[in-house]
Amino acid sequence: MTEKVITLYEAIGGDAAVQALTHRFYELMDTLPEARQVRAVHPPSLEGSEEKFHEYLTGYLGGPPLYTDKRGHPRLRSRHFVAEIGPAERDEWLLCFRRALEETVANPKLREVILPPIERLAYHMQNKE
């Protein structure tokens, strides 16, 4: 008997789930007072950021490689050097992501798999003390 292996992208519900997660993430960033510092390092409109994050997260979770097909290698750290990301911005970003993940991905086991590498990525993106 052969077991079908599915990706995290499929397990959380595919594109609709990634859209919901990224939309809620930026909605929280735009409205939470405790996310004001991370919001300040983003452009006035979050639409482009949301689109890019959706594309990146889709591929990251095992879905279609939307980001790389459209924009090439992510080079996340170098692309984010234009923004000063310190501990406050990192922690606020993580606050928004954790909350959005909790609100949009119902399965706690999936959240447990998704969150640790995202947390490591957030720490990697920090470029100031």
Side-chain angles (χ1 to χ4, degrees):
M1 182 162 110
T2 305
E3 282 189 42
K4 180 178 179 344
V5 176
I6 65 169
T7 64
L8 285 171
Y9 176 80
E10 294 167 310
I12 67 169
D15 188 62
V18 178
Q19 285 278 7
L21 173 58
T22 55
H23 182 72
R24 184 62 181 143
F25 170 78
Y26 281 104
E27 194 173 59
L28 289 165
M29 184 188 294
D30 206 28
T31 59
L32 287 177
E34 58 267 43
R36 68 176 166 44
Q37 291 179 87
V38 73
R39 176 60 181 93
V41 300
H42 286 78
S45 170
L46 293 173
E47 191 174 307
S49 299
E50 184 175 332
E51 177 185 354
K52 289 174 191 167
F53 191 41
H54 166 260
E55 293 167 355
Y56 174 78
L57 204 53
T58 294
Y60 180 82
L61 293 172
L66 303 176
Y67 189 94
T68 55
D69 284 354
K70 193 174 191 178
R71 304 171 200 285
H73 190 282
R75 299 179 3 255
L76 292 178
R77 192 156 157 83
S78 64
R79 289 183 196 257
H80 285 80
F81 274 139
V82 297
E84 289 193 3
I85 303 169
E89 291 82 7
R90 176 203 65 216
D91 291 348
E92 291 175 9
W93 190 95
L94 282 168
L95 169 75
C96 295
F97 189 85
R98 286 182 187 119
R99 200 171 287 183
L101 186 66
E102 180 80 25
E103 292 178 16
T104 62
V105 176
N107 186 314
K109 295 288 187 195
L110 292 173
R111 293 193 308 261
E112 287 175 17
V113 172
I114 293 168
L115 189 56
I118 294 290
E119 290 174 329
R120 286 190 297 275
L121 178 62
Y123 275 81
H124 177 69
M125 298 305 293
Q126 182 178 332
N127 58 27
K128 74 171 192 169
E129 287 304 317

